[in-house]
């Protein structure tokens, strides 16, 4: 009993210390920031938040989303006309699914495809050297008519090699590229084809990718919030501005003849961003269809998420700043809108990421004694921004009731996007700039990595 009493007393003392410390810290915050603080002082401390993050990631998205909501009736009428033309023409569509060891996921995808409102399609599955039961599963599905064509690379060639093989067998006017672990809303194929019929200049359309396993744990829930913010809203904004620069590899549609003319997919990570750049450089228009929804599973652990994002971030340096550097330099094929598209990504994703570290170091050396209070206030400011952003999400999404539960993760999302992702990008960019790590990434087979290395040299 004495031991239990001592434990309880220690717990009470610890709780009292935490409360007293928190109250003192918030008192310091009030003294430092709530009493006679000028706008100049506020901006000098939080200039990164107000001058970098607020205009691009919040104010611009609010403006474009409100405009999108206001113009929705007009857009709906335009889409209805395009839908009528689409179903009147009824073109054959090739659904292309490359992947390795995806046998466990393929039937779920096939079920969602068979439920589509648009039914004139052929399904091609390309097995990139699977070493599990995938060949037996897919051959059985092909035999029973669930797959129109099953192709297999006996030796792994990488996702680009698998996609290119399937594309060469495609007969459809359009190719819809899907990840094998995805599933589609019933009208997703229809919705991703409609932009081709609203504007003749459109030669490729990106679909809206959302998280299927959002409720699995905190890691997947925060990714679900991120996807809604950066993919559903963010890409809608860049598409409206004409600077949309990445068609997701999980769900994208391409005019087959145009895809053939640009040479299909090139090897290496970042295939989705690379093919989008090739299409833009060829003078074609690419747009985002936020109503064409694809559900996908995301990494469930922080380690796997870090590895995934490290690969994604390296591809920005490898493709936007190396391979497609000509977009940034005026030449006879130079177009301002392509330059702006690439620079927007490079500036905000890469340059501002390094600028953020400079900002943190400045706070550390300038406000050493009040750093904790400053960081707490920064979190509060970001939380307010995030709440506004979530309101924009609810304005745009077609799944308000399903996605509203993510509101409880808003306080944590500021740490996820503000620290975890920024540190990951910092490491990725730095190692790619100085050590060319993407050329030795195990995500690609060794033979294609060697080819890419030779291409770099």
């Amino acid at each position: 009993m004495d031991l239990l009493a001592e434990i309880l007393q220690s717990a009470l003392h610890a709780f009292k210390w935490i409360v007293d410390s928190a109250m003192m810290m918030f008192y310091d915050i009030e003294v430092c920031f709530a009493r006679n603080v000028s706008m100049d002082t506020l901006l000098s401390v939080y200039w990164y938040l107000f001058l970098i993050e607020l205009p691009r990631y919040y104010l611009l998205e609010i403006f474009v989303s409100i405009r999108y909501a206001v113009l929705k009736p007009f857009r709906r009428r335009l889409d209805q006309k395009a839908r009528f033309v689409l179903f009147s023409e009824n073109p054959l569509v090739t659904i292309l699914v490359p992947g390795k060891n995806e046998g466990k996921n393929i039937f779920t995808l096939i079920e969602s495809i068979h439920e589509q409102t648009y039914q004139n399609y052929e399904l091609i599955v390309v097995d990139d050297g699977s070493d599990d039961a995938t060949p037996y599963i897919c051959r059985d599905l092909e035999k029973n008519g669930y797959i129109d064509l099953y192709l297999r690379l006996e030796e792994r060639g990488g996702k680009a090699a698998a996609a290119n093989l399937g594309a060469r067998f495609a007969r459809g006017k359009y190719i819809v590229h899907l990840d094998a672990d995805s599933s589609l809303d019933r009208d997703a194929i229809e919705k991703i084809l409609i932009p081709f019929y609203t504007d003749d200049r459109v030669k490729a359309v990106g679909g809206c990718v959302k998280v299927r396993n959002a409720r699995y744990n905190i890691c997947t829930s925060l990714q679900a919030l991120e996807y809604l913010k950066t993919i559903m809203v963010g890409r809608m904004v860049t598409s409206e501005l004409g600077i949309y620069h990445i068609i997701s590899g999980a769900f994208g549609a391409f005019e087959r003849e145009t895809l053939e003319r640009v040479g299909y997919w090139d090897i290496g990570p970042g295939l989705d961003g690379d093919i989008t750049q090739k299409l833009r450089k060829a003078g074609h228009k690419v747009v985002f269809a936020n109503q064409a929804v694809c559900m996908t599973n995301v990494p469930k652990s922080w380690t796997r998420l870090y590895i995934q994002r490290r690969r994604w971030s390296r591809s920005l340096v490898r493709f936007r700043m190396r391979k497609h550097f000509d977009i940034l330099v005026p030449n006879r094929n130079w177009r301002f809108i392509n330059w702006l598209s690439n620079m927007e990504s490079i500036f905000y994703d890469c340059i501002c990421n390094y600028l953020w570290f400079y900002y943190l170091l400045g706070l550390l050396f300038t406000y050493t004694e009040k750093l904790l209070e400053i960081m707490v206030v920064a979190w509060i400011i970001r939380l307010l921004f995030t709440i506004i952003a979530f309101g924009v999400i609810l304005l745009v999404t077609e799944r308000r009731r399903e996605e509203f539960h993510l509101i409880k993760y808003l306080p944590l999302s500021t740490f996820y996007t503000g620290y975890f992702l920024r540190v990951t990008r910092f490491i990725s960019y730095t190692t790619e700039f100085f050590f060319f790590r993407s050329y030795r990434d195990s995500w690609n087979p060794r033979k294609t990595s060697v080819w890419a290395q030779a291409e770099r040299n």
Side-chain angles (χ1 to χ4, degrees):
M1 291 297 291
D2 291 340
L3 179 61
L4 180 61
E6 288 182 12
I7 292 173
L8 289 174
Q9 188 175 13
S10 299
L12 287 172
H13 281 305
F15 179 73
K16 184 177 182 299
W17 179 83
I18 292 171
V19 172
D20 289 343
S21 299
M23 293 299 293
M24 182 61 70
M25 182 179 65
F26 280 105
Y27 174 75
D28 289 343
I29 291 172
E30 182 187 8
V31 171
C32 290
F33 300 103
R35 297 181 183 177
N36 301 318
V37 176
S38 67
M39 183 59 69
D40 290 341
T41 304
L42 196 63
L43 288 177
S44 69
V45 177
Y46 300 109
W47 60 267
Y48 189 90
L49 301 180
F50 289 107
L51 300 181
I52 303 293
E53 293 188 359
L54 180 62
R56 169 60 184 89
Y57 296 112
Y58 300 97
L59 295 182
L60 183 61
E61 292 184 356
I62 290 170
F63 172 77
V64 174
S65 298
I66 291 174
R67 178 179 177 274
Y68 176 86
V70 170
L71 296 178
K72 196 171 184 179
F74 169 77
R75 196 186 307 269
R76 187 182 296 115
R77 289 194 295 271
L78 191 64
D79 287 349
Q80 286 172 350
K81 292 179 182 178
R83 183 180 186 275
F84 176 79
V85 177
L86 167 65
F87 277 87
S88 297
E89 181 184 321
N90 198 34
L92 177 66
V93 175
T94 299
I95 299 176
L96 177 59
V97 185
K100 179 185 178 184
N101 294 342
E102 295 287 0
K104 59 185 179 296
N105 298 314
I106 201 69
F107 189 71
T108 301
L109 174 61
I110 289 172
E111 279 188 316
S112 73
I113 292 173
H114 283 324
E115 293 174 354
Q116 290 299 300
T117 54
Y118 190 85
Q119 283 292 308
N120 189 22
Y121 63 83
E122 62 173 0
L123 176 59
I124 299 178
V125 176
V126 186
D127 180 359
D128 185 24
S130 294
D131 51 18
D132 63 356
T134 296
Y136 305 102
I137 294 170
C138 289
R139 288 191 181 110
D140 186 60
L141 291 170
E142 183 185 33
K143 181 180 178 181
N144 287 280
Y146 291 98
I147 295 174
D148 294 290
L149 180 62
Y150 169 66
L151 302 170
R152 173 172 166 79
L153 293 169
E154 293 300 330
E155 182 181 356
R156 182 183 170 217
K159 192 173 182 180
N164 290 339
L165 175 63
R168 285 177 170 83
F169 282 87
R171 297 181 297 116
K173 181 179 180 180
Y174 302 104
I175 293 177
V176 175
H177 182 283
L178 290 173
D179 279 351
D181 62 350
S182 304
S183 59
L184 303 174
D185 279 8
R186 291 185 66 252
D187 59 356
I189 298 295
E190 169 192 326
K191 291 288 179 65
I192 205 169
L193 293 176
I194 282 176
F196 291 108
Y197 291 86
T198 58
D199 188 341
D200 293 338
R201 297 171 298 168
V202 172
K203 300 300 179 183
V205 182
C208 183
V209 181
K210 296 190 176 186
V211 176
R212 183 167 52 208
N213 57 340
R215 295 179 182 267
Y216 185 83
N217 58 21
I218 292 175
C219 182
T220 61
S221 296
L222 290 174
Q223 289 176 79
L225 263 176
E226 179 204 2
Y227 273 50
L228 292 174
K229 174 78 168 63
T230 61
I231 295 181
M232 186 185 71
V233 177
R235 293 182 184 177
M236 183 192 76
V237 169
T238 55
S239 183
E240 289 289 312
L241 296 174
I243 59 173
Y244 177 48
H245 48 66
I246 181 164
I247 295 174
S248 175
F251 187 30
F254 308 86
E255 186 183 66
R256 180 173 58 84
E257 291 183 357
T258 301
L259 194 61
E260 183 179 358
R261 282 197 296 269
V262 299
Y264 299 109
W265 289 272
D266 292 347
I267 63 171
L271 306 179
D272 40 9
D274 181 43
I275 191 65
T276 312
Q277 294 302 304
K278 289 172 69 174
L279 289 164
R280 292 190 69 103
K281 285 166 70 172
H284 302 302
K285 186 174 182 179
V286 294
V287 298
F288 177 67
N290 68 302
Q291 296 295 318
V293 177
C294 166
M295 306 299 292
T296 190
N297 288 329
V298 294
K300 300 174 183 176
S301 71
W302 293 104
T303 301
R304 291 181 66 85
L305 176 61
Y306 170 75
I307 293 171
Q308 180 199 65
R309 297 313 175 88
R310 188 177 58 187
R311 185 178 72 246
W312 288 5
S313 298
R314 286 171 180 168
S315 67
L316 181 142
V317 177
R318 176 170 172 173
F319 289 107
R320 296 193 195 286
M321 303 177 72
R322 289 196 189 120
K323 181 177 180 180
H324 298 293
F325 180 75
D326 56 325
I327 288 179
L328 306 176
V329 180
N331 54 49
R332 64 175 185 169
N333 295 320
W334 186 82
R335 296 175 65 212
F336 174 74
I337 195 68
N338 287 344
W339 177 88
L340 185 62
S341 174
N342 256 25
M343 279 306 301
E344 186 272 339
S345 178
I346 292 170
F347 179 74
Y348 283 103
D349 291 339
C350 184
I351 296 174
C352 286
N353 205 73
Y354 285 101
L355 191 61
W356 177 75
F357 274 91
Y358 167 79
Y359 168 67
L360 284 188
L361 288 174
L363 291 180
L364 177 63
F365 290 109
T366 307
Y367 303 99
T368 306
E369 294 182 359
K370 296 297 180 182
L371 187 62
L372 180 59
E373 289 89 342
I374 289 172
M375 298 302 287
V376 170
V377 173
W379 172 78
I380 293 171
I381 294 171
R382 273 211 183 90
L383 179 59
L384 293 174
F385 289 173
T386 304
I387 292 170
I388 294 170
F390 193 69
V392 173
I393 288 170
L394 295 179
L395 180 67
V396 174
T397 186
E398 80 295 340
R399 285 175 163 83
R400 290 183 183 87
R401 291 185 179 180
E402 294 177 38
E403 292 162 352
F404 187 76
H405 78 95
L406 294 170
I407 194 171
K408 60 179 173 285
Y409 296 101
L410 295 184
L412 294 177
S413 69
T414 59
F415 296 103
Y416 169 65
T417 58
Y419 296 96
F420 174 79
L421 291 182
R422 279 204 172 105
V423 170
T424 301
R425 286 195 294 265
F426 178 83
I427 295 171
S428 304
Y429 296 151
T430 304
T431 55
E432 183 63 21
F433 275 129
F434 294 101
F435 303 108
F436 296 82
R437 292 297 298 271
S438 70
Y439 297 88
R440 301 190 299 275
D441 197 322
S442 60
W443 187 81
N444 278 315
R446 185 177 182 279
K447 63 179 182 180
T448 57
S449 295
V450 169
W451 185 9
Q453 189 73 20
E455 187 180 79
R456 176 176 72 86
N457 295 332

